[in-house]
């Protein structure tokens, strides 16, 4: 098959699989197979740049190059909706509507009000050409490269009778699962966590690096096609058509022929909204017929043909009984309030988060206070206020603890940190157990060992650190409660298998603070072995893309600790993978004695790839140009200072292709 044919075939297949997976939720092939097709396509497109297509599914992986967002004027201003909070106001809306239309009855469409970020998508000849944020309603930011990474947004519409050019609007949001995973990752790398999924979605959409956006599981529901009055007679019809063109249309839409049906829809979702995998903050009620919408028109701010019924904030008032302090896997201490049980959004709540010492100080909270609790996007409710007028004089303020409730060590709070930490990493029980849980987790060593089993082994003194796993025998295990011969053997086998887990995951598994999955991969690819990483200086570390001072210091601190080195030595003894296997570390010595500086962004390779290639061919990477530099490898957007310096010193500046030539000869 000619490359062009294969490329077109792959695009078509990937588009279909994408649609089945992300729009219909009915995948036909495994993730692995999908990735394989995608890699084949990306490789072919690299080989044949003349066949590039901005609507190719390969665009979904984004790019590491910084986007700049240009401002674009909306064809139709992006208005907001009138908000109401009561049934009476909905009745008023209905009355006004019927009066204006001289009608006894109006048909409405009820939809969920998705709590995300609104987006306008423009299509020309069936292709996504532009995605623009709401902005101030008149003008928004062009975020097309980011929107293209959202798998449920079609880049290419299904063939059919869609208009040549049209605009469709919807809401980009982050489902709960993705939100929690994203925050867990941020906590691990020391980045501030997002307060709720809406902020996380909005922050992600504004990220300049679309490759990063591609890694976030953003989703998009479409709900409005402005300006298509000639094509359809009702809103409902337009939405059904959009579904046929390939858009993800929410299944939670209802045609209502009277107000009672509208209220039933509201009541249903007010109760059931916690069961949805994403946040909603109300219900949108829209007049269905376009003809009627046109007669009703717009005010300066919002359409007169629609209204949003907002759910009441889910708050309750109760009494603060006491405060507990929980010590997490990283040693972070979280204050948790014990409350007089109270009903909130259908569940009985008796605990709420107090976040950190600052929050306690801000609320000036006392034991026995009447407090307001609120349920937002998070699982555990939070305390948002204190009723000072209800406070009696004898109540005592909450004083943040000074010692770890688990091991008694004095807590520390570093500058710029919101949280207190227990610094006793090696002997504080929850930290030990937490580290063991992390070590066995799926993305780390993938050892099939449940939390309860870790607890049991720890309590029996069989497990104090990760290296102890590799001394466990089936004979020891069967002596324990709940262990049968079979389960004991399974665990031992699973531990044995973990010795094949690649180095980057071992590095992630040992739990260096701020070294999450992605950072571990970067470090492993750059340094290639535990030994090389151990010897790295802060300067060496911050040379690796996206590794900053904080991570570098944490890595250095980890290896400086003797107990950690003992652990690593025992893991080496046990036979774990301590170097990258997939890359040959010494491919040639073509570049021996040559120093390189790389700068800018490359077309076919990541910066790390090029650095690795330099090292594996015997060359050395330098961070700045000096008289010892032999070559500067320049990509797009190379810094002018570097270029000037190279020119001054007469150092040749070569391209990515020149470099590849150099190592292939
Ligand atoms: S229709 C002319 N439908 O709510 C206005 N909006 O407060 C057309 N929203 O900016 C908007 N879910 O971001 C519509 N089912 C839904 C919605 C929805 C959420 C958002 C949208 C809009 C805001 C208005």
């Amino acid at each position: 098959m000619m490359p062009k044919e294969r490329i077109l075939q792959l695009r078509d297949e990937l588009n279909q699989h994408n649609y089945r997976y992300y729009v219909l939720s009915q995948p036909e092939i495994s993730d692995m197979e999908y990735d394989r097709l995608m890699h084949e396509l990306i490789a072919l497109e690299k080989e044949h740049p003349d066949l590039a297509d901005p609507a190719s599914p390969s665009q979904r992986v984004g790019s590491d190059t910084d986007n700049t967002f240009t401002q674009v004027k909306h064809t139709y201003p992006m208005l907001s909706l009138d908000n109401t909070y009561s049934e009476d106001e909905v009745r008023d809306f209905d009355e006004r509507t019927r009066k204006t239309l001289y009608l006894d009855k109006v048909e409405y469409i009820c939809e969920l009000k998705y709590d995300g970020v609104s987006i306008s998508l423009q299509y020309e000849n069936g292709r996504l050409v532009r995605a623009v944020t709401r902005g101030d309603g008149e003008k928004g930011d062009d975020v097309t490269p980011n929107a293209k990474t959202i798998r449920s947004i079609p880049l290419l519409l299904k063939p059919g009778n869609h208009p040549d050019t049209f605009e469709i609007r919807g809401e980009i949001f982050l489902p709960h699962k993705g939100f929690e995973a994203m925050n867990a990752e941020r906590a691990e790398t020391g980045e501030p966590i997002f307060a709720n999924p809406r902020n996380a979605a909005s922050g992600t959409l504004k990220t300049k690096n679309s490759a990063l956006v591609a890694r976030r599981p953003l989703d998009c529901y479409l709900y409005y096609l402005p300006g298509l009055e000639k094509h359809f007679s009702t809103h409902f019809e337009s939405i059904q058509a959009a579904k046929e063109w390939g858009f993800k249309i929410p299944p939670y839409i209802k045609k209502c022929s009277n107000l009672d049906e509208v209220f039933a829809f509201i009541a249903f979702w007010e109760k059931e909204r916690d069961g949805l995998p994403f946040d909603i903050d109300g219900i949108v009620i829209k007049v269905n017929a376009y003809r009627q919408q046109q007669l009703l028109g717009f005010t300066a701010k919002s359409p007169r043909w629609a209204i949003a019924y907002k759910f009441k904030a889910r708050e309750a008032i109760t009494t603060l009984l006491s405060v507990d302090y929980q010590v997490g896997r990283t040693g972070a201490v979280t204050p948790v309030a014990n409350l007089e049980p109270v009903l909130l959004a259908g569940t009985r709540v008796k605990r709420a988060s107090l976040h950190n010492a600052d929050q306690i100080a801000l609320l000036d909270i006392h034991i026995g206070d009447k407090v307001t609790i609120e349920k937002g996007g998070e699982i555990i409710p939070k305390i948002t206020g204190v009723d000072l007028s209800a406070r009696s004089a004898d109540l005592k303020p909450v004083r943040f603890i000074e010692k770890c409730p688990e091991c008694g060590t004095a807590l520390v709070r570093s500058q710029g940190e919101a949280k207190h930490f227990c610094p006793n990493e090696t002997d504080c029980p929850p930290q030990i157990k937490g580290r063991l849980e992390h070590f066995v987790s799926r993305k780390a060593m993938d050892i099939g060992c449940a939390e309860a089993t870790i607890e049991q082994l720890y309590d029996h003194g069989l497990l104090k650190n990760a290296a102890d796993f590799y001394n466990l025998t089936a004979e020891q295990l069967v002596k324990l409660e709940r262990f049968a011969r079979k389960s004991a053997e399974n665990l031992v086998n699973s531990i044995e298998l973990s010795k094949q887990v690649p180095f980057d995951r071992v590095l992630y598994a040992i739990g260096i603070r701020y070294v999450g999955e992605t950072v571990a991969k970067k470090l492993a690819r750059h340094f290639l072995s535990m030994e090389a990483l151990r010897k790295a200086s802060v300067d060496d570390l911050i040379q690796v893309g996206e590794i900053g001072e904080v991570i570098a210091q944490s890595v250095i601190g980890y290896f400086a600790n003797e107990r950690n080195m003992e652990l690593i030595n025992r893991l080496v003894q046990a036979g774990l993978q301590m170097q990258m296997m997939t890359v040959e570390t010494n491919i040639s010595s073509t570049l021996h004695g040559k120093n390189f500086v790389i700068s800018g962004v490359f077309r076919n390779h990541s910066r790390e790839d090029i650095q690795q290639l330099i090292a594996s061919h015997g060359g050395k990477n330098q961070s700045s140009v000096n008289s010892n530099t032999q070559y500067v490898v320049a990509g797009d957007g190379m810094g002018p200072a570097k270029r000037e310096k190279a020119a001054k010193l007469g150092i040749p500046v070569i391209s990515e292709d020149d470099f590849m030539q150099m190592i292939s000869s």
Side-chain angles (χ1 to χ4, degrees):
M1 195 184 293
M2 297 291 286
K4 180 169 179 181
E5 269 173 82
R6 181 63 184 154
I7 286 179
L8 294 180
Q9 187 185 40
L10 282 166
R11 282 179 188 160
D12 194 43
E13 272 182 42
L14 280 162
N15 278 336
Q16 286 188 31
H17 289 308
N18 197 68
Y19 176 73
R20 295 198 63 86
Y21 190 103
Y22 292 101
V23 180
L24 302 181
S25 304
Q26 293 165 354
E28 251 172 4
I29 57 169
S30 69
D31 291 3
M32 229 169 79
E33 179 69 1
Y34 181 90
D35 288 344
R36 201 188 59 71
L37 295 173
M38 182 66 98
H39 281 135
E40 187 185 343
L41 175 63
I42 291 174
L44 275 174
E45 287 182 350
K46 253 184 200 169
E47 264 175 57
H48 303 277
D50 50 312
L51 299 175
D53 180 343
S56 166
S58 61
Q59 300 299 305
R60 302 236 186 241
V61 298
S63 138
D64 270 322
T65 328
D66 269 5
N67 293 318
T68 42
F69 299 144
T70 45
Q71 287 245 313
V72 181
K73 192 170 169 346
H74 293 297
T75 321
Y76 308 92
M78 282 180 89
L79 302 177
S80 56
L81 291 168
D82 225 5
N83 288 333
T84 68
Y85 293 87
S86 71
E87 289 200 357
D88 278 349
E89 285 174 301
V90 176
R91 270 180 227 286
D92 290 347
F93 163 75
D94 173 57
E95 211 158 288
R96 244 183 292 132
T97 307
R98 286 186 292 113
K99 217 166 140 194
T100 313
L101 298 173
Y102 297 104
L103 287 173
D104 293 336
K105 259 171 77 175
V106 173
E107 185 172 73
Y108 295 109
I109 300 297
C110 283
E111 296 171 7
L112 304 185
K113 189 168 190 303
Y114 314 101
D115 198 4
V117 200
S118 44
I119 191 80
S120 151
L121 306 174
Q122 286 159 37
Y123 284 82
E124 279 171 21
N125 303 316
R127 290 158 162 263
L128 174 69
V129 290
R130 196 177 279 151
V132 187
T133 62
R134 178 169 190 277
D136 62 5
E138 293 289 329
K139 290 189 264 53
D141 284 332
D142 181 336
V143 292
T144 314
N146 287 348
K148 279 186 176 176
T149 70
I150 301 173
R151 306 295 210 267
S152 50
I153 295 182
L155 303 181
L156 215 53
L157 298 182
K158 289 171 173 279
N161 55 345
H162 49 72
D164 287 345
T165 61
F166 69 96
E167 179 181 338
I168 186 164
R169 291 184 186 169
E171 200 87 350
I172 290 176
F173 62 94
L174 193 62
H176 294 149
K177 248 173 95 181
F179 168 67
E180 278 150 30
M182 179 169 170
N183 263 354
E185 200 183 306
R186 288 173 76 87
E188 198 149 353
T189 54
E191 287 167 277
I193 60 168
F194 285 111
N196 54 49
R198 206 190 71 80
N199 288 2
S202 140
T204 304
L205 200 63
K206 286 189 198 129
T207 305
K208 301 235 154 103
N209 178 325
S210 59
L212 270 179
V213 181
R215 276 186 242 135
R216 308 281 174 232
L218 290 175
D219 206 340
C220 181
Y221 273 146
L222 285 314
Y223 49 62
Y224 180 42
L225 289 119
L228 291 190
E229 292 79 8
K230 282 205 193 76
H231 290 76
F232 303 106
S233 55
T234 65
H235 169 62
F236 195 73
E237 257 175 47
S238 75
I239 292 297
Q240 296 309 314
K243 187 172 175 179
E244 262 146 45
W245 303 339
F247 290 101
K248 186 160 175 170
I249 300 303
Y252 320 101
I253 298 184
K254 191 167 188 300
K255 214 185 251 182
C256 296
S257 48
N258 57 52
L259 264 194
D260 287 340
E261 288 179 28
V262 170
F263 289 138
F265 188 86
I266 291 176
F268 178 82
W269 284 109
E270 186 130 36
K271 218 166 120 238
E272 297 299 326
R273 68 158 151 155
D274 286 311
L276 287 168
F278 50 82
D279 279 351
I280 60 173
D281 60 348
I283 298 296
V284 182
I285 305 153
K286 300 176 182 171
V287 170
N288 191 23
Y290 273 169
R291 180 80 197 102
Q292 295 172 1
Q293 286 191 4
Q294 279 178 307
L295 287 169
L296 290 158
F298 295 84
T299 69
K301 278 188 292 184
S302 53
R304 285 202 194 86
W305 44 262
I307 194 165
Y309 174 90
K310 298 263 273 203
F311 294 135
K312 283 162 219 62
R314 295 174 301 171
E315 285 184 342
I317 292 174
T318 185
T319 308
L320 174 69
L321 301 177
S322 63
V323 177
D324 283 344
Y325 295 84
Q326 290 180 346
V327 185
R329 167 171 91 72
T330 56
V333 179
T334 306
V336 179
N338 293 308
L339 308 165
E340 184 80 46
V342 63
L343 217 55
L344 175 63
T347 43
R348 212 170 88 107
V349 174
K350 50 183 183 180
R351 284 161 82 71
S353 175
L354 274 166
H355 300 289
N356 53 45
D358 287 345
Q359 181 70 6
I360 290 177
L362 196 72
L363 292 168
D364 178 30
I365 198 166
H366 288 44
I367 302 291
D369 267 340
K370 287 264 174 272
V371 295
T372 306
I373 59 172
E374 197 176 287
K375 200 159 154 37
E378 305 78 18
I379 307 295
I380 173 161
K382 56 185 176 206
I383 294 187
T384 52
V386 173
D387 183 356
L388 293 176
S389 66
R391 179 182 290 167
S392 59
D394 55 332
L395 298 189
K396 298 223 162 41
V398 172
R399 296 277 306 271
F400 203 91
I401 48 164
E402 284 167 9
K403 287 189 175 148
C404 174
E406 299 281 344
C407 70
T409 308
L411 300 179
V412 294
R413 184 180 178 184
S414 326
Q415 235 190 345
E417 291 269 12
K419 293 221 162 207
H420 282 74
F421 280 88
C422 167
N424 183 13
E425 276 173 38
T426 39
D427 293 306
C428 179
Q431 297 192 59
I432 298 175
K433 283 185 239 170
R435 265 204 310 282
L436 293 168
E437 277 159 25
H438 170 73
F439 186 80
V440 300
S441 64
R442 211 170 40 79
K443 288 177 173 170
M445 303 306 284
D446 196 17
I447 296 174
C449 185
E451 238 172 78
T453 309
I454 290 184
E455 183 101 32
Q456 193 186 11
L457 295 172
Y458 177 81
D459 291 345
H460 280 82
L462 290 172
L463 197 56
K464 286 203 198 65
N465 73 34
D468 295 335
F469 277 113
Y470 299 91
N471 294 342
L472 289 175
T473 62
E475 282 60 47
Q476 278 176 321
L477 295 174
V478 285
K479 289 195 199 119
L480 303 176
E481 219 180 298
R482 282 185 316 192
F483 262 105
R485 185 91 226 159
K486 186 86 191 119
S487 50
E489 274 165 11
N490 283 347
L491 177 53
V492 173
N493 283 341
S494 174
I495 292 170
E496 189 59 31
L497 273 177
S498 76
K499 294 179 183 172
Q500 303 308 321
V501 163
F503 170 56
D504 57 318
R505 278 168 54 193
V506 174
L507 185 56
Y508 169 61
I510 60 174
I512 304 175
R513 193 148 171 234
Y514 303 136
V515 179
E517 223 191 321
T518 320
V519 171
K521 270 207 179 73
K522 289 218 153 97
L523 291 173
R525 278 214 267 163
H526 185 91
F527 291 99
L528 304 172
S529 73
M530 192 70 91
E531 193 51 23
L533 179 63
R534 185 180 67 80
K535 289 187 184 147
S537 65
V538 171
D539 278 350
D540 295 335
L541 285 161
I542 53 183
Q543 271 219 33
V544 185
E546 283 173 60
I547 307 284
E549 186 82 20
V550 175
I551 300 178
Q553 290 297 354
S554 169
V555 172
I556 302 272
Y558 182 89
F559 289 110
N561 183 329
E562 232 171 85
R563 311 252 319 235
N564 293 333
M565 283 314 299
E566 254 168 58
L567 170 73
I568 292 198
N569 289 335
R570 283 184 62 202
L571 293 177
V572 171
Q573 291 295 312
L576 270 60
Q577 302 296 321
M578 292 296 172
Q579 54 192 31
M580 288 300 262
M581 290 292 284
T582 42
V583 277
E584 279 184 56
T585 38
N586 282 311
I587 301 172
S588 82
S589 50
T590 318
L591 307 182
H592 181 74
K594 300 207 166 80
N595 297 326
F596 288 79
V597 170
I598 68 167
S599 180
V601 181
F602 300 94
R603 214 160 12 94
N604 299 320
H605 297 88
S606 70
R607 292 168 61 94
E608 287 96 81
D609 283 347
I610 296 204
Q611 284 173 334
Q612 205 176 86
L613 283 169
I614 291 172
S616 60
H617 287 273
K620 269 214 170 119
N621 286 289
Q622 290 182 301
S623 55
S624 55
V625 181
N626 58 35
S627 55
N628 292 326
T629 312
Q630 266 78 32
Y631 293 101
V632 175
V633 189
D636 289 339
M638 171 182 180
K642 274 204 178 109
R643 194 177 284 281
E644 221 169 88
K645 185 126 191 232
K648 219 167 159 188
L649 295 170
I651 297 165
V653 176
I654 63 173
S655 71
E656 180 181 5
D657 291 344
D658 297 337
F659 172 74
M660 295 312 290
Q661 281 273 295
M662 196 182 246
I663 56 172
S664 65
S665 56

